[in-house]
């Protein structure tokens, strides 16, 4: 590993999306944006949906559109586990991809939650009928 670098590992369900050396990572948690550098103290942080920016040791800048997740920095390793992520170096395309993928999935999740709520309501009614 390059001196002054961290190993960034990004995982989404069923896949490792990124495994590379980085010199800087910027992300957003519930308390706001933060920056991690190689000598930063070890930490754990929740991530909000938005952008994660990382810079490689040769100063190349990369972006990752992220959904909810968790970031863990331990020594020179920085592990990120996300529900969903989209990688791009073009911010305009990234925002379009995030909007399309995340909003479409949110619609599906909302439909699934509505169906589950109907099932739960039916089960509660059936239990109430049995108790009478």
């Amino acid at each position: 590993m390059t001196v002054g670098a961290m190993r960034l590992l990004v995982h989404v369900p069923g896949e490792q999306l990124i495994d590379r050396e980085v010199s800087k990572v910027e992300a957003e948690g519930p308390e706001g944006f933060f920056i991690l550098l190689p000598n930063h103290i070890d930490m754990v942080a929740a991530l909000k949906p938005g952008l994660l920016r990382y810079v490689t040791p040769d100063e190349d800048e990369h972006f990752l559109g992220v959904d909810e997740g968790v970031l863990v920095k331990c020594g020179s390793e920085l592990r990120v586990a996300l529900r969903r992520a989209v990688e791009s170096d073009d911010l305009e395309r990234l925002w379009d991809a995030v909007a399309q993928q995340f909003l479409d999935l949110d619609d599906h999740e909302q439909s699934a939650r509505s169906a589950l709520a109907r099932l739960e309501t039916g089960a509660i009614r059936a239990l109430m009928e049995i108790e009478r």
Side-chain angles (χ1 to χ4, degrees):
M1 178 161 317
T2 306
V3 174
M6 302 176 284
R7 182 175 177 206
L8 175 64
L9 300 157
V10 177
H11 299 272
V12 293
E15 178 183 4
Q16 181 172 308
L17 191 61
I18 296 172
D19 180 358
R20 66 187 318 174
E21 283 189 359
V22 298
S23 58
K24 179 180 182 180
V25 172
E26 296 177 25
E28 183 179 9
E31 295 81 29
F33 285 94
F34 59 92
I35 296 174
L36 294 170
L37 299 170
N39 291 327
H40 195 280
I41 62 170
D42 293 351
M43 65 174 282
V44 176
L47 297 178
K48 288 177 53 174
L51 282 180
L52 183 143
R53 177 182 168 263
Y54 63 93
V55 180
T56 61
D58 56 352
E59 299 299 320
D60 288 335
E61 182 178 57
H62 302 274
F63 298 94
L64 194 61
V66 302
D67 199 351
E68 298 173 331
V70 176
L71 175 146
V72 177
K73 174 155 186 330
C74 185
S76 63
E77 265 194 10
L78 183 56
R79 292 183 176 265
V80 181
L82 302 164
R83 290 180 59 202
R84 298 177 288 231
V86 178
E87 186 176 19
S88 177
D89 295 334
D90 181 344
L91 279 178
E92 187 174 326
R93 286 185 184 166
L94 180 61
W95 279 119
D96 291 343
V98 166
Q100 181 181 9
Q101 289 186 19
F102 293 1
L103 294 179
D104 287 348
L105 283 174
D106 287 343
D107 289 343
H108 292 297
E109 287 175 11
Q110 187 62 36
S111 296
R113 287 184 184 145
S114 295
L116 184 58
R118 287 191 300 274
L119 287 171
E120 289 172 346
T121 302
I124 290 170
R125 284 186 185 141
L127 287 173
M128 290 174 67
E129 289 295 321
I130 292 172
E131 290 180 1
R132 289 185 192 173

